[in-house]
Amino acid sequence: MLKFAEFADRAMEQDFRQHMLEAEAKGLRRNLLALAIFYLMAASLDFVYFSLETVLTVMMPLRGVVYVLIIATMLVPVKAKYVGLRYGLVLLTMTYIWAITSAGALLIHRGGQVGLTVSFFVMIVVLMNYLFLPTRVIYMIPWGVAASGLYIGLFMPASGATASQMSTATVMQSLANIFGAFTAYQLSTLRRMEFQRLRALQAEQARLKEANTELLRREAIIANQRDELAHKVAELEEAQQQLGETRNSLTQAEKLASLGRLVAGVAHELNTPIGIALTAITHLEDVVTSLDKTVAAGKLTRSQLTEHQGTLRDSALLVHTNIGRAAELVQSFKRVAVDQASEERRDFLLGAYIDEVLQSLAPRLRGEPHRVLVECPTGIHMDSYPGALFQVLTNLIINALIHAFGPDRQGTMKITVRELPDDQVELRFQDDGKGVPAAHMDRLFEPFFTTNRARGGSGLGLHIVFNLVTQSLQGVISVSSAEGRGTCFTLTLPRHLPREEVVALERAAG
């Protein structure tokens, strides 16, 4: 805020003066140089108005002082502590010039007209006063008014000027002061406004520089974070790839372990019929040997022949029955084992295949007090991957044996199948065990999550089930449970998987 062409804030005013110090000193030196040249023209008039003796002995020494003051002012160092001295010398120089000029009205004896003529030169001195230090109007205006007033009030009457001449001089001096003061005020105000804009611009530049520095700093931080994020993403992708490989390895290992258990169970199951058949054949050999000896001795009776025939008939029937049972087990094992070990799709009857799966698990289930019930309509054909379905049912049954029932609890597992519209089938596996806590429901299908690792839980069974149902069998699986009321897994599967080329086209289109 400006107050009479100066800043009301003294700190701002001091800052402005310090800022203008060098420029003001240079401008003052130019004006003083112009004054020195102009003053030569005024000195040349001395030869017109005064005698040569007066010019040489009086006027030239007096005017020489002006050049001494001009040179002294120009030599003042451009430093803040010498500002007052420079201002004082300027005022002293202007006052001295005014005094010599005004005195001319008394020294020149040319009548009253001289006072008016000298008034013109006084007016020029007043105007030069306003131009020398326009930034300090507070000094220039009082000096200019005082110089004009003293000349008109003292020197003009003493020179014999008429009232008309004094009125004319008054108008000239007033116009000079008004024009000079207005010009100096405008220059002072404009320079201070420019200084304000400069300081605002510098502050804005400083703010922009600071903001740019902060922006660069943040960009550097973001770049570092981006590099760290890219590095972490690369590490995550590598870890994900390793996790996928590990999961595949564990899944394959789980499949092979399941196949190994199947082989062990079938071997145990085959041991009984083959052992019975072997015993029957051994007994049959003994009977045939005894018959041969009796015939050779000629002691064979009808009753003995009838007895040996009955024994042979019973033994042959026993051998045939047990060998047939073993052959049936081998055939069932062959189908299930091939399905489990391979990823081939084929057409099969769902109900018959579930029976084959349960038959392959018979050795494992025989040692448990639990029952497995199956409700499946006959004639449901599936065109899918039986090996994946075998793995799903096996893992669901083993998972129920490990987690669903307590040590002394007899439970029931039930497999229910029903046909759905749109060529789909629903397979529900339900147990009446202790159920799943609500806190664990969202994590059932996570890999390696198990609550019963001590009894053989690997945490992979249900994860493998989820992957096989959603990927290989292209179905959907959901689970519902309540503590103390059992658990139910619901599988919705397509009866006929789409051809591989159709799936490829759908994935490309998606």
Side-chain angles (χ1 to χ4, degrees):
M1 181 178 179
L2 296 179
K3 182 179 180 181
F4 197 66
E6 291 190 358
F7 288 112
D9 184 359
R10 300 314 302 168
M12 177 71 79
E13 180 67 23
Q14 291 297 327
D15 190 17
F16 168 74
R17 293 178 187 176
Q18 183 66 31
H19 171 74
M20 292 296 298
L21 185 62
E22 185 174 350
E24 191 175 70
K26 289 182 179 179
L28 179 61
R29 287 172 179 173
R30 288 194 299 268
N31 290 334
L32 289 173
L33 184 60
L35 174 62
I37 297 172
F38 169 78
Y39 206 64
L40 290 175
M41 297 173 61
S44 65
L45 294 176
D46 292 342
F47 293 95
V48 177
Y49 293 108
F50 301 104
S51 64
L52 180 62
E53 181 182 359
T54 303
V55 171
L56 295 176
T57 59
V58 178
M59 298 307 298
M60 289 187 66
L62 290 176
R63 294 189 184 280
V65 174
V66 173
Y67 288 96
V68 172
L69 291 173
I70 290 174
I71 294 173
T73 305
M74 294 176 68
L75 292 178
V76 173
V78 185
K79 293 183 180 180
K81 62 181 180 180
Y82 297 116
V83 170
L85 176 60
R86 182 183 298 108
Y87 288 168
L89 287 174
V90 170
L91 292 176
L92 178 61
T93 301
M94 300 307 297
T95 303
Y96 185 79
I97 294 173
W98 170 83
I100 293 177
T101 304
S102 299
L106 302 178
L107 296 175
I108 301 172
H109 300 287
R110 297 294 178 101
Q113 187 67 28
V114 174
L116 183 60
T117 303
V118 173
S119 174
F120 174 76
F121 291 100
V122 172
M123 182 184 68
I124 294 176
V125 174
V126 170
L127 288 175
M128 294 179 66
N129 154 72
Y130 285 112
L131 296 177
F132 274 20
L133 295 173
T135 59
R136 301 306 306 276
V137 179
I138 193 172
Y139 293 156
M140 299 299 101
I141 292 178
W143 190 94
V145 172
S148 297
L150 287 174
Y151 176 75
I152 295 172
L154 295 178
F155 287 89
M156 286 195 73
S159 66
T162 63
S164 175
Q165 291 174 343
M166 292 180 62
S167 299
T168 303
T170 301
V171 173
M172 293 172 55
Q173 296 296 328
S174 299
L175 291 175
N177 278 283
I178 292 172
F179 176 76
F182 179 76
T183 303
Y185 180 85
Q186 286 294 100
L187 288 174
S188 178
T189 302
L190 287 175
R191 290 180 181 179
R192 281 173 170 79
M193 292 176 65
E194 289 177 357
F195 175 75
Q196 278 185 314
R197 286 194 291 268
L198 176 63
R199 284 290 181 262
L201 179 61
Q202 290 175 341
E204 182 66 15
Q205 288 176 340
R207 188 189 67 80
L208 291 176
K209 184 177 180 180
E210 183 179 356
N212 187 56
T213 302
E214 179 66 16
L215 180 61
L216 292 176
R217 186 184 69 83
R218 293 187 179 184
E219 285 180 350
I221 294 175
I222 292 174
N224 292 334
Q225 291 178 344
R226 184 170 58 246
D227 293 341
E228 292 178 1
L229 180 60
H231 181 66
K232 290 181 179 179
V233 168
E235 290 181 349
L236 182 60
E237 289 178 350
E238 183 179 357
Q240 187 175 5
Q241 182 179 0
Q242 292 178 353
L243 178 62
E245 293 175 355
T246 303
R247 182 188 304 165
N248 293 335
S249 299
L250 291 174
T251 302
Q252 190 64 26
E254 186 74 12
K255 289 181 180 180
L256 293 176
S258 177
L259 184 59
R261 291 192 295 269
L262 175 61
V263 171
V266 170
H268 177 76
E269 194 72 17
L270 288 174
N271 187 54
T272 300
I274 292 177
I276 293 174
L278 181 60
T279 301
I281 290 175
T282 302
H283 179 63
L284 185 59
E285 289 178 350
D286 292 340
V287 171
V288 171
T289 302
S290 175
L291 180 59
D292 289 341
K293 290 179 180 180
T294 302
V295 172
K299 299 179 179 180
L300 181 62
T301 63
R302 182 176 294 276
S303 60
Q304 289 178 327
L305 179 60
T306 302
E307 181 182 354
H308 283 301
Q309 286 178 335
T311 301
L312 291 173
R313 189 180 300 108
D314 293 339
S315 298
L317 179 60
L318 188 60
V319 170
H320 183 271
T321 301
N322 284 277
I323 291 299
R325 182 184 175 192
E328 183 180 351
L329 286 173
V330 169
Q331 190 64 25
S332 175
F333 166 73
K334 181 180 178 181
R335 286 194 300 269
V336 173
V338 168
D339 287 338
Q340 186 180 1
S342 68
E343 296 295 337
E344 295 182 0
R345 61 181 289 179
R346 65 178 177 86
D347 187 273
F348 59 92
L349 286 171
L350 181 57
Y353 193 75
I354 294 175
D355 292 338
E356 292 178 359
V357 173
L358 295 178
Q359 188 175 1
S360 67
L361 293 175
R364 176 70 174 85
L365 295 172
R366 188 174 291 113
E368 301 288 345
H370 314 301
R371 297 182 304 161
V372 180
L373 304 179
V374 178
E375 292 184 3
C376 178
T378 59
I380 298 180
H381 282 269
M382 298 280 290
D383 179 15
S384 186
Y385 294 96
L389 183 59
F390 173 87
Q391 190 72 35
V392 168
L393 292 174
T394 300
N395 285 2
L396 289 176
I397 293 172
I398 298 301
N399 182 75
L401 293 177
I402 294 175
H403 298 281
F405 308 109
D408 300 325
R409 166 82 182 279
Q410 180 178 355
T412 301
M413 293 170 279
K414 186 176 182 180
I415 301 174
T416 306
V417 178
R418 68 186 183 95
E419 293 186 82
L420 297 176
D422 299 327
D423 198 35
Q424 290 187 324
V425 65
E426 180 186 84
L427 190 152
R428 296 166 63 94
F429 179 86
Q430 187 172 7
D431 64 67
D432 58 355
K434 54 187 178 182
V436 180
H440 297 164
M441 287 294 293
D442 293 337
R443 303 187 61 190
L444 280 184
F445 297 120
E446 291 183 8
F448 308 110
F449 174 74
T450 180
T451 58
N452 202 357
R453 201 174 298 276
R455 292 189 60 193
S458 65
L460 283 174
L462 291 181
H463 178 66
I464 293 173
V465 167
F466 180 83
N467 286 341
L468 290 173
V469 170
T470 58
Q471 296 177 17
S472 297
L473 300 177
Q474 299 184 29
V476 178
I477 183 171
S478 61
V479 59
S480 60
S481 180
E483 289 192 69
R485 299 175 59 183
T487 304
C488 179
F489 293 90
T490 303
L491 287 64
T492 303
L493 307 173
R495 290 179 56 189
H496 298 86
L497 292 179
R499 295 289 97 188
E500 295 180 358
E501 54 270 17
V502 175
V503 175
L505 288 175
E506 289 179 352
R507 290 179 179 173

